[in-house]
Each structure stands twice: as structure tokens, then as C-alpha cells.
Amino acid sequence: MTKPKIAILGTGYVGLVAAAVFAERGFDVLASSLDKEKVNLINRGQPPFYEKDLGAIVESVVRTGKLRAVLGRREAVLDSDIFFIAVGTPSLMSGEADLRLVRETAAAIGEALREKDTYSLVVARSTIVPGTTRNVIIPLLEKHSGKKAGEDFGVCMSPEFLRQGAAVYDTRNPDSVVIGELDTRSGTFLEGFCRQVYAGQNVPILRMNLESAEMVKYGRNTFLAMNISYINELARIAETIPGIDIYEVVKGIGADWRINPAFLNAGCGYGGSCFPKDVKALISFARLRAVQPQLLETVEEVNEQQAIHVVAIAKQEMGGSLKGKRIALLGLSFKPDTDDMREAPAIKVANHLYAQEADIVAYDPRAVPNARERFIRDTIKIYYADSVQECLKEADCCILLTEWEEFRKLSPEVFNRCMKRSVIVDGRRIWDEEFRKKVAAYRGIGLGSDNAYASEQTVLLKLGDMLTKAGLITQEQLERALEEQNRTGGLIGANLIKLGYLTEEALLGFLGKQYGISRKG
Ligand code: UDX
């Protein structure tokens, strides 16, 4: 097979990383963008966003002429044999994926296909719900080209599985390639290309129909998101048992050959451009099909609570109020090695801190410009420090949100020296026991603590007052429930439910929202 020429439509993470790696492997690649500035940047050898290792490859493949960015789609399609649709599919308010760019791109490819007389292949690489390639993309391609899919041109769907910060590595070393095909000829064409790209590497190629391939992407991402919410819930339970450490527990769980512990790191929740969006999209997809996605809904809910939970721990360590407390946030990006703030737990954390009148000072090695833009939109006041030391200066409490390498290396002395008192909430569990012993107070996700137990008890003891303040029950109902409690014992919440003043659902909803408590009790 001669080397096909490749066009990548879309120059975001997915598109540009694929373009760079395909070019690096010796293919002629055209990267199409509608943004002139992006095109110019790429043609100067600079990716328009930060991604580890990408700069060096783009610089080199542009220099050798293997990669070229072009404005618009027509030229890219006319000069290529395989076209990858790699445009964004952001969430709409409903949670559904927005297909506007996918539609536009499919229509534009169709227009250009009209002018081509050789067999070529369209590959959907964007994340799209099952049925989209067949029911949205193919009709547009056919309408605008006047040609027949499966006869005049081929169509495949091949999802990507890139982690930001490791996107180059993941593209160079995929654990598998999934090919959804309209027909055998399409699939064989794409498989041939993939075998050339990954020649000498042992990469399994899985072929299936279009819809199954589309579902694989959602299946993988929502499964991983579920793992994370699962371990965060287990961590929350563990925190109430002094001495327990969820990270030790995971070693034990993961020793079972049926369980892969790789994505069972408890923390302040998942963020980024994929997990939150894909969980939402699958939820709305299921609902449209009259399937209630109970598990997925809970995955999302637990994740929402997890960021709030970190704030609740800080609040407790601050004696029950964050008002006027200087809180140092270490890390803002949704994970290390990226400047991406999309759906970062830091957004929820900062919002909650701000609502409770804390003074927020933050440091992140890369994400500050994006954070600034994001928090201006949210009208949250944050002071951005230029270094860890400046961030910690005179702080009452430090919350670690992103596990940057730079933070792992910090010694307890830095915290002791800079902070008013070294109270640390480790939202990613990066510091070991030695470190923990040397700071004034340390609380980590999934690390059992006497305080954690006390905090829930305190919340439950004061529950009656809080429910009254929130307007969920009246003062009179509270008094009756207290009388009942005196008479028969039991917790106040249980008595309120027994007397019919509150449903269990409402009570758990309140506890979850306010305090991140989701267990019954
Ligand atoms: C993810 C998928 O891993 C990738 O295959 C897919 O194509 C795109 O979405 P990405 O969003 O870049 O990649 O990051 P990932 O490393 O998966 O982390 C996502 C979020 O989950 C981060 O906020 C991270 O901190 C969190 N996470 C991950 C945990 O909280 N615990 C874990 O064990 C793993």
C-alpha cells in the first residue's frame, strides 16, 4: 500500500496531536483550521496550546514539510486520501453533545468530494453518540457530494483515547485502535493506514460497525469516571474510620486480577474536557431513549460533591468558618502537565470558598492565564501568586488540587515557614507520612481522621437547626421531632422522617449539597 495523504479537520488536542504524530511517522499531513491565527502559528512550528512534547514534534514536522496547516477545508480534502473529522463536540445545556462543527465539517467534506474522482475515506474521530456517523455525517456527505457512501467513498469511525498531558505518548503508543466501518472496504483501507502508522508495534486493531465504535468511546470514558466516583465514595467512608488509608486499601483491591487499580486514585474529583462531558452526553442520550441512567447520574453527583467535600474539610479545620481566612490553592488545572481549566475541580472549590467569604490565593505552574479568564467570567476574586512560597505566605490553610511534580517535591518546612499555621488539605494525596507528621495539621482524601468522624457527628447533631434555617421544616416541626427524639431516641433526621415532616430524599439531598455527606445516618 502506498502511503495515503492525510487531512485532519480540526486543530484542537485531538486533531493536532494526531496530525503531528502521523507526520512524524512519515505521512504527508494537512491540518485544516478555520482560524487564521492558528494556521499561522502551526506553520511557524508552534502549537496554539500547550501539550507536553507537542511543540518539539510540530516544530520538526513543519520544518521537514510533512505537516502543513491550511485555512479552510476544501484544499485539505482535495489534496488527501483520508480525512479525519476531529472537531470539538462541546456540551449543550441539555448535556447533549453539540454537533454543529461536525455537521459543518461533514458538509464541507461533501462539497470537496464532489470534485474528487478517486476513492477516499472519511473518518469520524470526534466523540459522537452512537448513530451519529450513520444518521448525521453520512447523509450530509452524500447530499453535498452527490455521491454514495460505501461505493464512491468510504466511511469509518475511529475514536481517540488521548489523555491530555500524555496525548503525544498515547497517540504514539495506543493500547488498541478501534475501527468502526460502514463496509469492509472502508475498514480495510483504514486498517492498512493504521498498520503503516504503527508498523513494528504490537497494536491490536479491533474492527466493528460504526455504532459500536462510537459506543466504545463513551463506554471507556464513563467507566473510568465511574471508577473515580466509586473510589471517592469509598474514600469518604474510609475518612470516618481513624487509621484507614484508601491508598493502602486500593493496593489490596487492585491485587485482585479482575480489578485494574490504575484509575482508582481518590482525590477532589474528575475534571477536564472529556469525562464530565461524556458522562453528561451519555446520560442525555440514555434519557432520550427512555432508559434511566441511574448509575451515571450518581457518578456525576458524587463527582460534584467531591470538590465541595474538600472545602468542607478546610472549613472544619478552620473551626467551622472560612470567612476572612486566607486559603492557598496549589494547582488549578484539572490535572498536571496541562494548562487546561475545563471543568477543573478548582472551579467548584474556588466558587465554594468565595461564597463562604474566604480570601483565595492561588498558584499553578501553567494554568493561571486560563484560570484568570475563567474566574473573571465567574466574577470570583482570586489573587494569583507567582510562586508556591508567595501563595503560601501568611495562609491559614493550603488546599492541594493538582498533583504537579513541583508540589510533590515541597518539604514540610516550606509550609511551616510560609504559612500562618501549616494546615494542609491534600486533595490528591501526594504527601507521605513523613511529610504529614511534620506539618501542623494534615487532612488527606481517603485518610481516616478522628476529625472527619466528629465533623459528621457535629453536622448531624446540629441538623435540626440547619434544616429550620434552610426552610425545609418549621420551628414547630423541629420541636415536635426533638420531643419525639427525647421520648424514643434515634437521630433527629430519622425522627423528622418518621413524623412525615421531611422525606428521606430531601434530607439526603440537603446533607449532600451542604456538607457532602451522602451516607444515611
Ligand atoms: C480522559 C481519558 O483518560 C482519555 O482516554 C480520553 O480520551 C479523554 O479523557 P483526560 O481528560 O486528558 O483523558 O485526563 P485523565 O488523565 O483521564 O484524567 C481525567 C480527570 O480524572 C482528571 O481530573 C484527573 O485528576 C481525574 N482522575 C483520574 C482522578 O481523580 N483519579 C484517577 O484515578 C484518575
Side-chain angles (χ1 to χ4, degrees), residues 14 127 160-166 170 217 220-221 224-225 227-228 231-232 247 261-276 278 303 333-336 338 342-345 401-403 427-428:
V14 174
T127 301
E160 48 72 33
F161 307 104
L162 315 177
R163 291 161 303 159
Q164 273 176 239
D170 288 347
K217 171 71 194 233
R220 284 201 196 186
N221 275 357
L224 294 170
N227 272 351
I228 298 169
I231 204 63
N232 283 338
Y247 276 70
F263 259 54
L264 285 176
N265 295 313
C268 46
Y270 62 77
S273 60
C274 289
F275 289 171
D278 293 352
N303 195 54
S333 56
F334 82 98
K335 67 177 206 178
T338 173
R342 281 178 287 178
E343 304 285 335
L401 295 175
T402 319
E403 65 277 33
R428 296 287 182 186

Side-chain angles (χ1 to χ4, degrees), residues 22-94:
F22 294 163
E24 180 192 48
R25 302 255 157 128
F27 293 85
D28 289 315
V29 182
L30 293 176
S32 138
S33 170
L34 301 181
D35 182 335
K36 203 168 174 192
E37 214 172 302
K38 274 192 184 175
V39 170
N40 291 338
L41 269 175
I42 297 169
N43 285 334
R44 284 203 300 269
Q46 292 166 14
F49 52 85
Y50 173 75
E51 174 63 31
K52 197 169 152 207
D53 297 334
L54 186 61
I57 313 184
V58 170
E59 198 271 324
S60 129
V61 291
V62 166
R63 192 162 25 84
T64 57
K66 284 287 166 196
L67 173 67
R68 190 161 59 85
V70 290
L71 191 62
R73 296 140 173 158
R74 185 170 170 273
E75 182 190 344
V77 174
L78 287 181
D79 280 351
S80 311
D81 306 303
I82 304 182
F83 335 119
F84 286 88
I85 301 178
V87 292
T89 50
S91 289
L92 290 168
M93 290 293 273
S94 61

Side-chain angles (χ1 to χ4, degrees), residues 1 4 6 78 102-103 144 160 240 250 253 261 268 362 424 434 437 451 474-475 495:
M1 184 178 178
I6 308 300
L78 287 181
V102 170
R103 283 203 187 90
H144 290 268
E160 48 72 33
T240 65
V250 165
I253 296 175
C268 46
I424 292 173
E434 269 313 291
K437 278 194 253 164
N451 288 353
T474 63
Q475 186 63 36
N495 280 303

